[in-house]
Amino acid sequence: VDVYVTSLQSRLKEALERTRSLEKRLHVLEQAGDDIVSSLCEDLAEVTSHSNKAESRYIKKGKELQRKRRREELRHRGKVRQVERRIRKLEQKLARVSGGGGPK
């Protein structure tokens, strides 16, 4: 009976040691997992930040291009009006010179 009890105690002691060892390994694995998750969260935040900055740059550039296009359109319309006025003046001048008496 003593041998049996001693054997059971020995097996219990070994089981407890294995349990402690497994608990330590589990703790190390949990810590490693936490570190990986933390690193991934940091990477995700960085990627998101870069993405947001890029999107912001594209939006800003798009607005700049729209303003430039509007300025060019206005400038072009102004030139067209100047040319049209010049044409009307030349037509009037031609009409006076040719004696056609067209619109003045």
Side-chain angles (χ1 to χ4, degrees), residues 29-45:
L29 289 173
E30 286 176 340
Q31 186 63 43
D34 289 346
D35 292 345
I36 290 170
V37 168
S38 177
S39 176
L40 289 173
C41 286
E42 289 172 8
D43 291 347
L44 181 59

Side-chain angles (χ1 to χ4, degrees), residues 1-87:
V1 175
D2 287 337
V3 173
Y4 180 69
V5 171
T6 305
S7 173
L8 287 177
Q9 287 175 338
S10 176
R11 288 173 58 195
L12 178 60
K13 182 180 177 184
E14 289 173 7
L16 287 173
E17 288 173 2
R18 280 190 303 234
T19 301
R20 285 188 200 112
S21 175
L22 289 173
E23 285 175 346
K24 287 178 185 177
R25 288 173 59 192
L26 178 60
H27 179 71
V28 168
L29 289 173
E30 286 176 340
Q31 186 63 43
D34 289 346
D35 292 345
I36 290 170
V37 168
S38 177
S39 176
L40 289 173
C41 286
E42 289 172 8
D43 291 347
L44 181 59
E46 184 178 332
V47 167
T48 302
S49 173
H50 289 306
S51 175
N52 290 342
K53 288 177 184 176
E55 182 178 0
S56 177
R57 282 193 305 270
Y58 289 133
I59 290 171
K60 184 178 178 182
K61 185 65 175 177
K63 288 180 180 180
E64 289 174 9
L65 290 172
Q66 285 177 339
R67 285 191 296 269
K68 183 178 180 181
R69 188 190 77 218
R70 282 193 292 264
R71 283 193 306 270
E72 290 297 318
E73 286 175 354
L74 290 173
R75 188 175 65 80
H76 179 69
R77 286 182 193 149
K79 285 185 177 185
V80 167
R81 283 192 297 270
Q82 287 177 347
V83 169
E84 287 172 344
R85 281 193 297 263
R86 179 75 176 140
I87 290 171

